[in-house]
Amino acid sequence: RWFTHFYVVSVLWNGFLLIRLFQAEFLGESLPSWIQHMHHALGRDSQSEDMGNEHFSALLVLLLLWLHSCRRLAECLWTSVFSSGVIHIVQYCFGLGYYIAVGSTVLCQVPTNVKNGKEFSVQICWYHIVGVVMYIWASLHQHRCLVILANLRKSRSGKVVSLSHSVPFGDWFESVSCPHYFAELLIYVSMAITLGIHNVTWWCVVMYVLFNQALAAVLCHEFYQKNFSSYPKHRKAFIPLV
């Protein structure tokens, strides 16, 4: 239930970064000094020419990240039915820091001294289209899977009747135990593609998401197998066929 706090922070923080980057690119305003200091510490302001289409790519990924946070916040508030489970304080603090850091990571992919008075130009590349399509596809499936999980605890009228665990069926649940975790990984991969595929920093973020979601999925998969004797044996934990 307290995961809701993560998405509140993400919506506010990444929304703020999105607005500031939009103002910098389209209105010619300067980024805040603390962002420029962060760029300087990472060596990003030492570049003198545009590396491909980094400005538009970063703006697009920051928008996708913000939209993802908005959807997840809405699902936490109005879709999901949470049990009485608790979260460790260390995990809670780390989660808050993560959603602040991940948006800042996107922003730091944009060199601050590249424009040099030039007008911002939008150049849509093939990887933008592929990344956005993959993002929409994975987001739709994640939402469907979260609705399936929520409906296990609701009556047909939509009233919550139980907080116990049940075996989900439908959509990607037919292949894996935790398709919503798999969809989360695909969403971050889609952002890596949108950034142009070559961005090593964001692929490090993807690797973190992979290991984090895989661990959670394996634990959940083992829970299902232990508590439900008739649990489908063909289902994998996290990635289909793996």
Side-chain angles (χ1 to χ4, degrees):
R1 183 177 290 107
W2 279 27
F3 270 53
T4 304
H5 300 175
F6 299 161
Y7 300 119
V8 170
V9 169
S10 183
V11 168
L12 295 176
W13 173 250
N14 293 315
F16 165 75
L17 295 181
L18 179 62
I19 291 173
R20 294 313 301 255
L21 183 58
F22 180 88
Q23 291 174 333
E25 301 295 358
F26 288 97
L27 303 180
E29 297 183 11
S30 299
L31 290 171
S33 59
W34 61 268
I35 292 181
Q36 297 186 33
H37 291 325
M38 183 163 44
H39 278 74
H40 178 72
L42 296 174
R44 294 296 289 173
D45 58 353
S46 62
Q47 300 185 30
S48 59
E49 59 182 72
D50 201 339
M51 301 294 290
N53 202 13
E54 288 186 346
H55 286 267
F56 178 64
S57 297
L59 187 64
L60 184 56
V61 169
L62 202 52
L63 174 61
L64 295 180
L65 181 63
W66 182 74
L67 290 174
H68 176 61
S69 301
C70 288
R71 178 180 62 82
R72 291 294 294 118
L73 175 59
E75 289 166 343
C76 286
L77 293 175
W78 297 298
T79 300
S80 299
V81 180
F82 298 102
S83 64
S84 57
V86 297
I87 184 172
H88 196 283
I89 185 63
V90 174
Q91 184 185 12
Y92 177 75
C93 293
F94 182 84
L96 293 176
Y98 169 78
Y99 282 99
I100 292 176
V102 72
S104 305
T105 300
V106 177
L107 196 62
C108 284
Q109 304 314 300
V110 182
T112 56
N113 69 336
V114 166
K115 292 179 63 178
N116 292 327
K118 299 179 181 179
E119 292 185 2
F120 178 72
S121 61
V122 176
Q123 298 178 352
I124 299 179
C125 300
W126 66 267
Y127 50 82
H128 294 145
I129 298 174
V130 173
V132 170
V133 170
M134 183 177 180
Y135 170 88
I136 295 173
W137 174 65
S139 297
L140 287 174
H141 278 285
Q142 187 178 57
H143 177 70
R144 290 174 184 171
C145 292
L146 291 172
V147 169
I148 290 173
L149 287 175
N151 287 339
L152 291 175
R153 295 176 171 178
K154 297 179 181 179
S155 64
R156 291 187 176 181
S157 63
K159 182 180 180 181
V160 177
V161 294
S162 173
L163 295 180
S164 61
H165 294 279
S166 303
V167 178
F169 292 93
D171 206 82
W172 287 354
F173 279 109
E174 300 303 322
S175 300
V176 293
S177 296
C178 300
H180 47 307
Y181 295 157
F182 178 53
E184 185 81 2
L185 174 63
L186 293 181
I187 288 171
Y188 278 84
V189 170
S190 72
M191 294 181 189
I193 295 174
T194 305
L195 276 174
I197 302 179
H198 63 275
N199 192 291
V200 177
T201 303
W202 194 258
W203 281 112
C204 290
V205 176
V206 172
M207 292 303 295
Y208 163 76
V209 174
L210 168 63
F211 291 120
N212 177 274
Q213 300 296 295
L215 175 60
V218 169
L219 294 175
C220 187
H221 183 67
E222 292 175 348
F223 173 86
Y224 280 129
Q225 291 179 322
K226 179 180 179 181
N227 291 276
F228 300 97
S229 58
S230 59
Y231 192 72
K233 298 184 181 300
H234 67 276
R235 288 190 191 180
K236 304 302 181 181
F238 180 44
I239 301 176
L241 306 177
V242 177

